[in-house]
Amino acid sequence: MLKSPNILLLFFVLASLGMVSQTQTKSFKVIHKNKACGMLTIARSENKGVVEYYSKTSINANVLFKDIQVDYEYRVYYHNNVFNRSNVGVYINGKLHSKSITVKKADGYELSKDEKEPFFIVNPIKYSSIRLYFSEPSDAFPTYSEQHGTFDQIVPVSKGVYQKIDNKNRTNTYHYEEGVLKRADIDGGLVKFQLISHG
């Protein structure tokens, strides 16, 4: 059995070789109709040029006089800072409601959505929406929606405030302080809610 000093030495050797991932985690309270109703947790891990984002949002809300639980689950991968693939599932009361899978191919991306015929995306994906949780945008630019398979527009509104507008004119607003996301107003389609940083 390795003794403690040897374990620490092994960890530092592996870290220097890029074999130990670096992980950042964040959490946000979900507010719906002025009440806390869930949590978003998100992690970013990096290992040998591969960055993985994992996000889980659980919301308990009343929609059209009916109590429902909505869960959003994201897995997104970048290889050497290039979008490689994503897998997004939306669940209502534990049952799959919609699913989107985007995979990088030699000359573009293939989008599979809700068991429909795959759709080919020619445009390069340089930035996708999940990155908004970890870094403040610097300008106006298109961002890929992993859930909808569309290119949305990032628009600066004021210092530290940005809007993401999709092709159905739904708008999410992100508020940053010193580059860190503190609050977001989200139009999730099924449910509109607010995210408040919780550490």
Side-chain angles (χ1 to χ4, degrees), residues 26 28 132-137 155 157-164 171-186 193-197:
K26 295 188 175 190
F28 296 83
L132 290 166
Y133 292 98
F134 286 94
S135 58
E136 179 178 349
V155 179
V157 177
S158 59
K159 181 178 173 59
V161 180
Y162 302 82
Q163 289 185 332
K164 181 171 76 73
T171 301
N172 295 348
T173 305
Y174 299 84
H175 302 260
Y176 297 83
E177 294 179 13
E178 298 181 357
V180 177
L181 181 64
K182 294 296 185 180
R183 178 168 63 89
D185 304 303
I186 305 294
F193 55 92
Q194 189 177 70
L195 299 173
I196 306 293
S197 178

Side-chain angles (χ1 to χ4, degrees), residues 44 49-51 53 78-83 125-127 131:
R44 179 190 184 278
V50 177
V51 176
Y53 296 89
Y78 281 76
H79 290 189
N80 297 318
N81 211 33
V82 175
F83 180 92
I125 299 175
K126 297 180 179 179
Y127 192 97
R131 296 178 69 175

Side-chain angles (χ1 to χ4, degrees), residues 2-192:
L2 288 172
K3 295 181 180 180
S4 296
N6 292 331
I7 292 174
L8 286 174
L9 178 61
L10 177 62
F11 177 85
F12 286 120
V13 169
L14 292 176
S16 68
L17 295 174
M19 297 174 68
V20 174
S21 63
Q22 302 172 9
T23 302
Q24 295 174 270
T25 58
K26 295 188 175 190
S27 60
F28 296 83
K29 286 183 181 179
V30 179
I31 308 296
H32 176 65
K33 296 181 179 179
N34 298 316
K35 293 182 180 179
C37 63
M39 206 74 179
L40 180 152
T41 56
I42 185 167
R44 179 190 184 278
S45 60
E46 184 172 357
N47 189 3
K48 298 172 69 173
V50 177
V51 176
E52 176 186 2
Y53 296 89
Y54 175 76
S55 173
K56 176 73 179 286
T57 308
S58 294
I59 303 172
N60 293 295
N62 186 282
V63 179
L64 299 176
F65 308 105
K66 184 177 181 180
D67 291 330
I68 63 171
Q69 179 175 329
V70 184
D71 296 303
Y72 299 85
E73 189 169 14
Y74 283 63
R75 284 192 185 277
V76 184
Y77 297 86
Y78 281 76
H79 290 189
N80 297 318
N81 211 33
V82 175
F83 180 92
N84 184 266
R85 68 188 188 278
S86 64
N87 190 328
V88 179
V90 180
Y91 301 83
I92 298 179
N93 296 331
K95 294 183 178 180
L96 183 64
H97 175 71
S98 67
K99 190 175 185 67
S100 299
I101 299 173
T102 306
V103 179
K104 191 177 189 309
K105 300 294 184 180
D107 50 355
Y109 292 87
E110 184 179 85
L111 169 65
S112 302
K113 192 171 182 183
D114 298 331
E115 309 299 329
K116 296 176 183 176
E117 192 72 21
F119 177 79
F120 198 76
I121 300 170
V122 178
N123 295 343
I125 299 175
K126 297 180 179 179
Y127 192 97
S128 67
S129 298
I130 203 163
R131 296 178 69 175
L132 290 166
Y133 292 98
F134 286 94
S135 58
E136 179 178 349
S138 57
D139 206 346
F141 58 87
T143 181
Y144 181 69
S145 168
E146 302 94 343
Q147 179 181 346
H148 301 293
T150 57
F151 286 90
D152 304 337
Q153 189 65 31
I154 298 290
V155 179
V157 177
S158 59
K159 181 178 173 59
V161 180
Y162 302 82
Q163 289 185 332
K164 181 171 76 73
I165 305 169
D166 71 11
N167 61 351
K168 294 183 179 179
N169 215 35
R170 290 178 296 209
T171 301
N172 295 348
T173 305
Y174 299 84
H175 302 260
Y176 297 83
E177 294 179 13
E178 298 181 357
V180 177
L181 181 64
K182 294 296 185 180
R183 178 168 63 89
D185 304 303
I186 305 294
D187 185 346
L190 291 169
V191 183
K192 292 183 179 180

